[in-house]
C-alpha cells in the first residue's frame, strides 16, 4: 500500500470567485507581504493544489512552510509555520515540489539526496460557513540517495494509476521514485555532451518529458517507451535556464504536442514546438541602450527569431553525440540578463504569462493585447514604465519586444526641479527584490504572485 501523503481538501469555490480568478492578472507594485526568514538564496517555491500553503527551498539547507491564509493577517511580514531540517545542514536545498493532490513535499539538495516528507494539517471551524486548515507538523515518508552528485531538477509524473517523482542528477540521469515500491520504475539518461541539467518539465498529457541543459540542448523523451525521440540545440548555444510546459486546449484539456516556453540568456523567452523544432513565439527585452533606437536601426540579433537545430541521435548510447571541437567552437559566454523563471497561463483564459530573471523584474506579457503587458515589480522609484511592441516576422512566428528605459539621473529628479504636485504626499520606497529572482509561482486563493530571490526573501504580489 502507498504511504499516507496527506489529502487535499480545499474549500468549495463559488461561481463568482471562479470567474474573478479566471480573468485575474497581477497589478503593478502591489506588494502584499514579504517572507525574510531564510538565511540564504531562495531557489524554488511550490504551492499546494488546495492553496493551503506553499513551500520554499533555500541555500541555507532548510525548507519552510507558509500558510497562504495568513497573508491577510501578516501585516506585510509573513512568518513560516514550519521548518524542515531533514537534509544535511551543510547542503543547499536546490529544488522542491508539492506532489499533486497531496500535502507531501519532495525536496532535493546539493548532497544528492531526495526527501519526500508530509506536511500534517488540522482543520478548525472559523464561522458557520468557513473552515481554516492549519499546518501542525511534519513527517518523513521516503529518502533516497542515488550517489550521483547534486539534484539539479525535480518534477512529478502523475496519472490516474501512478504518482512518480522524477529528479535529475548532476551526472545526467533522470531517476524516478514510486512511493508504492522500493524498485525504481525507470531511468532516462542524457548524453554527457549536452551539459548539466538545468530543468525538466513533463507534458500536461503525461506522455512526454523535456530536459534543458547548460549546453543549450533540449532532449525530448517519450515516457511511454522511455527513450529519447528528439534532440535539439539552441541556435545561439544559449543555456536553457528554465522550462514551462504549455497547457493547450486538447480533447482532454491538455495539449498533445510538446510545446514549452524556454527561458534563455539575453533576456529572451521562446515558445518552441519540440516536435518540429519551430519557434512559435519569442519575447525579448532589449538592452537599455536600444530603448530609443528606431526599429529599422535595431541590430539583426534583436529582430531575429531563435532557431532550434536538429541533432542526430546515435543508435548506440556509447557513441559520441557531437564532436568535441564543435562543442568548443559553438560555446559562447552568457550575455546580458537571463530569464530564470517562466509561469505560463496564469489564469483560466490563458491570456497572460509571467517572466523574470537576473534583472530582478517581473513582467506580465499579455498574449492578446501587447498594450496590456506591464512590469509587475522591479522598477525603481523614478524609472519610466516599459513599452511593448509586436514585430512582424515571416511565417507563423510572433516576436514581442520590450523596451525598458533606464532611470533618470538623480540630479534631474531633485525636489527643486520637480513640479509642485510631484513634491506632495508620502515618498514611496522600492518594493522589489534587490537581487536576481530565481523562481515564480501563482497562488489562486488568495490570488497572488510569489517570487523567490537570491536576496533571501519571498515576496507576494497581488
Amino acid at each position: 500500500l502507498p504511504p499516507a501523503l496527506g489529502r487535499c481538501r480545499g474549500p468549495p469555490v463559488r461561481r463568482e470567485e471562479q470567474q474573478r480568478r479566471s480573468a485575474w492578472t497581477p497589478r503593478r507594485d502591489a506588494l502584499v507581504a514579504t517572507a525574510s526568514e531564510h538565511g540564504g538564496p531562495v531557489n524554488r517555491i511550490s504551492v499546494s493544489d488546495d492553496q493551503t500553503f506553499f513551500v520554499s527551498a533555500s541555500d541555507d539547507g532548510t525548507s519552510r512552510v507558509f500558510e497562504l491564509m495568513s497573508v491577510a493577517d501578516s501585516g506585510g511580514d509573513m512568518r513560516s509555520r514550519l521548518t524542515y531540517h531533514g537534509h544535511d545542514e551543510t547542503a543547499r536545498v536546490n529544488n522542491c515540489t508539492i506532489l499533486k493532490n497531496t500535502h507531501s513535499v519532495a525536496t532535493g539538495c546539493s548532497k544528492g539526496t531526495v526527501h519526500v516528507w508530509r506536511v500534517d494539517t488540522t482543520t478548525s471551524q472559523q464561522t458557520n460557513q468557513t473552515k481554516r486548515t492549519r499546518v501542525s507538523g511534519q513527517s518523513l515518508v521516503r529518502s533516497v540517495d542515488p550517489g550521483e552528485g547534486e539534484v539539479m531538477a525535480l518534477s512529478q509524473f502523475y496519472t490516474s494509476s501512478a504518482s512518480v517523482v522524477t529528479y535529475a542528477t548532476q551526472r545526467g540521469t533522470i531517476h524516478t521514485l514510486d512511493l508504492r515500491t522500493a524498485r525504481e520504475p525507470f531511468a532516462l539518461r542524457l548524453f554527457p555532451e549536452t551539459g548539466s541539467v538545468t530543468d525538466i518539465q513533463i507534458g500536461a498529457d503525461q506522455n512526454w518529458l523535456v530536459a534543458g541543459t547548460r549546453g543549450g540542448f533540449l532532449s525530448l523523451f517519450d515516457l511511454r517507451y522511455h527513450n529519447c525521440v528528439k534532440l535539439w540545440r539552441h541556435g545561439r548555444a544559449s543555456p536553457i535556464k528554465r522550462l514551462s510546459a504549455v497547457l493547450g486546449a486538447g480533447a482532454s484539456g491538455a495539449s498533445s504536442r510538446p510545446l514549452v516556453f524556454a527561458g534563455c540568456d539575453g533576456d529572451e523567452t521562446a515558445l518552441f514546438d519540440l516536435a518540429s523544432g519551430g519557434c512559435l513565439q519569442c519575447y525579448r527585452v532589449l538592452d537599455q541602450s536600444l530603448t530609443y533606437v528606431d526599429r529599422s536601426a535595431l541590430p539583426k540579433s534583436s529582430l531575429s527569431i531563435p532557431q532550434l537545430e536538429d541533432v542526430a541521435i546515435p543508435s548506440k548510447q556509447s557513441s559520441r553525440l557531437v564532436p568535441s571541437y564543435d562543442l568548443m567552437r559553438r560555446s559562447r559566454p552568457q550575455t546580458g540578463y537571463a530569464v530564470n523563471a517562466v509561469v505560463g497561463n496564469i489564469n483560466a483564459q490563458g491570456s497572460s504569462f509571467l517572466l523574470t530573471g537576473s534583472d530582478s523584474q517581473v513582467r506580465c506579457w499579455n498574449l492578446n493585447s501587447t498594450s496590456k503587458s506591464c512590469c509587475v515589480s522591479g522598477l525603481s522609484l523614478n524609472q519610466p514604465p516599459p513599452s511593448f511592441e509586436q514585430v512582424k516576422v515571416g511565417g507563423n512566428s510572433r516576436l514581442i519586444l520590450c523596451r525598458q528605459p533606464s532611470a533618470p539621473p538623480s540630479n534631474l529628479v531633485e525636489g527643486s526641479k520637480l513640479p509642485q504636485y510631484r513634491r506632495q504626499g508620502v515618498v514611496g520606497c522600492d518594493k522589489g527584490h534587490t537581487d536576481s529572482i530565481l523562481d515564480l509561482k501563482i497562488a489562486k486563493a488568495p490570488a497572488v504572485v510569489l517570487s523567490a530571490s537570491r536576496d533571501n526573501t519571498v515576496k507576494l504580489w497581488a
Side-chain angles (χ1 to χ4, degrees):
L1 294 176
L5 300 178
R7 296 178 59 186
C8 287
R9 297 180 178 179
V13 181
R14 297 179 180 178
R15 180 176 299 179
E16 296 79 6
E17 179 65 17
Q18 290 180 344
Q19 294 176 351
R20 188 185 69 83
R21 293 179 185 178
S22 66
W24 174 82
T25 53
R27 295 171 294 167
R28 176 182 172 183
D29 280 338
L31 181 63
V32 176
T34 301
S36 55
E37 293 180 282
H38 278 295
V42 184
N43 299 312
R44 294 291 184 271
I45 44 181
S46 184
V47 183
S48 64
D49 285 345
D50 61 358
Q51 311 298 303
T52 301
F53 61 88
F54 70 90
V55 178
S56 59
S58 172
D59 275 3
D60 63 7
T62 66
S63 294
R64 293 183 179 269
V65 181
F66 299 84
E67 292 180 351
L68 280 168
M69 292 301 295
S70 64
V71 173
D73 305 328
S74 65
D77 185 14
M78 200 168 183
R79 296 291 174 177
S80 61
R81 290 281 298 178
L82 182 69
T83 304
Y84 181 73
H85 296 276
H87 291 283
D88 190 293
E89 61 181 7
T90 61
R92 305 183 309 274
V93 184
N94 295 331
N95 293 272
C96 69
T97 183
I98 300 178
L99 305 187
K100 189 173 180 61
N101 294 332
T102 72
H103 283 170
S104 292
V105 186
T107 52
C109 75
S110 60
K111 296 291 185 178
T113 59
V114 175
H115 288 187
V116 179
W117 46 282
R118 183 178 66 247
V119 177
D120 301 321
T121 59
T122 58
T123 303
S124 60
Q125 191 82 23
Q126 276 193 317
T127 64
N128 294 333
Q129 297 181 350
T130 61
K131 295 181 180 181
R132 181 168 181 176
T133 302
R134 305 300 300 269
V135 174
S136 59
Q138 65 182 18
S139 54
L140 181 64
V141 177
R142 180 76 70 85
S143 175
V144 294
D145 184 2
E148 297 183 3
E150 293 193 30
V151 176
M152 309 300 293
L154 269 173
S155 188
Q156 184 189 12
F157 171 75
Y158 180 85
T159 65
S160 58
S161 59
S163 177
V164 179
V165 178
T166 58
Y167 59 98
T169 63
Q170 193 173 9
R171 292 187 183 178
T173 302
I174 300 176
H175 291 278
T176 55
L177 171 63
D178 191 337
L179 299 178
R180 301 171 299 178
T181 178
R183 180 179 297 179
E184 184 178 48
F186 61 90
L188 308 173
R189 290 174 175 81
L190 281 75
F191 291 94
E193 296 92 341
T194 61
S196 59
V197 181
T198 55
D199 198 10
I200 57 176
Q201 280 288 316
I202 296 178
D205 58 2
Q206 308 297 304
N207 289 333
W208 53 269
L209 178 147
V210 59
T213 69
R214 295 187 186 277
F217 288 88
L218 290 166
S219 302
L220 179 65
F221 292 89
D222 190 327
L223 293 179
R224 297 166 295 183
Y225 304 101
H226 307 157
N227 61 347
C228 183
V229 294
K230 279 289 186 179
L231 184 61
W232 306 96
R233 193 181 193 189
H234 196 282
R236 294 187 290 105
S238 172
I240 307 299
K241 297 293 187 177
R242 288 300 294 273
L243 298 171
S244 179
V246 175
L247 302 179
S252 59
S255 175
S256 59
R257 296 188 65 82
L259 305 178
V260 293
F261 284 106
C264 308
D265 62 359
D267 233 345
E268 173 187 289
T269 301
L271 175 61
F272 291 116
D273 184 349
L274 297 184
S276 62
C279 178
L280 305 180
Q281 300 168 7
C282 178
Y283 302 86
R284 182 179 293 132
V285 180
L286 297 180
D287 187 84
Q288 291 185 349
S289 61
L290 302 175
T291 300
Y292 301 106
V293 176
D294 188 76
R295 184 187 301 178
S296 59
L298 289 174
K300 292 183 178 181
S301 59
S302 299
L303 300 175
S304 61
I305 293 292
Q307 303 294 328
L308 291 182
E309 299 178 359
D310 193 3
V311 179
I313 302 176
S315 57
K316 296 182 180 180
Q317 185 75 20
S318 58
S319 302
R320 289 199 63 86
L321 180 65
V322 182
S324 57
Y325 70 86
D326 188 51
L327 288 175
M328 296 297 294
R329 179 175 60 86
R330 297 274 312 278
S331 299
R332 302 176 185 178
Q334 178 176 332
T335 56
Y337 294 114
V339 175
N340 294 332
V342 182
V343 178
N345 304 97
I346 67 175
N347 52 35
Q349 296 179 352
S351 60
S352 303
F353 73 100
L354 298 174
L355 294 179
T356 189
S358 55
D359 61 355
S360 305
Q361 296 186 8
V362 180
R363 296 181 178 89
C364 179
W365 301 71
N366 192 289
L367 305 182
N368 298 330
S369 176
T370 306
S371 61
K372 294 182 180 180
S373 301
C374 66
C375 185
V376 177
S377 72
L379 295 180
S380 59
L381 289 178
N382 300 298
Q383 189 172 6
S387 61
F388 299 82
E389 59 182 291
Q390 181 171 342
V391 180
K392 292 183 179 180
V393 293
N396 298 324
S397 302
R398 182 167 65 164
L399 174 63
I400 308 296
L401 299 179
C402 172
R403 298 174 182 259
Q404 179 59 68
S406 58
S410 58
N411 60 348
L412 298 181
V413 292
E414 296 176 356
S416 59
K417 298 183 179 181
L418 290 176
Q420 183 68 28
Y421 75 93
R422 291 286 302 275
R423 286 182 274 160
Q424 298 176 355
V426 179
V427 178
C429 60
D430 287 331
K431 302 177 182 179
H433 290 284
T434 58
D435 207 334
S436 299
I437 300 177
L438 303 178
D439 199 13
L440 280 178
K441 288 295 184 294
I442 300 293
K444 299 178 182 178
V448 291
V449 177
L450 295 88
S451 58
S453 173
R454 195 175 291 160
D455 62 7
N456 307 352
T457 64
V458 177
K459 292 181 180 289
L460 285 75
W461 311 86

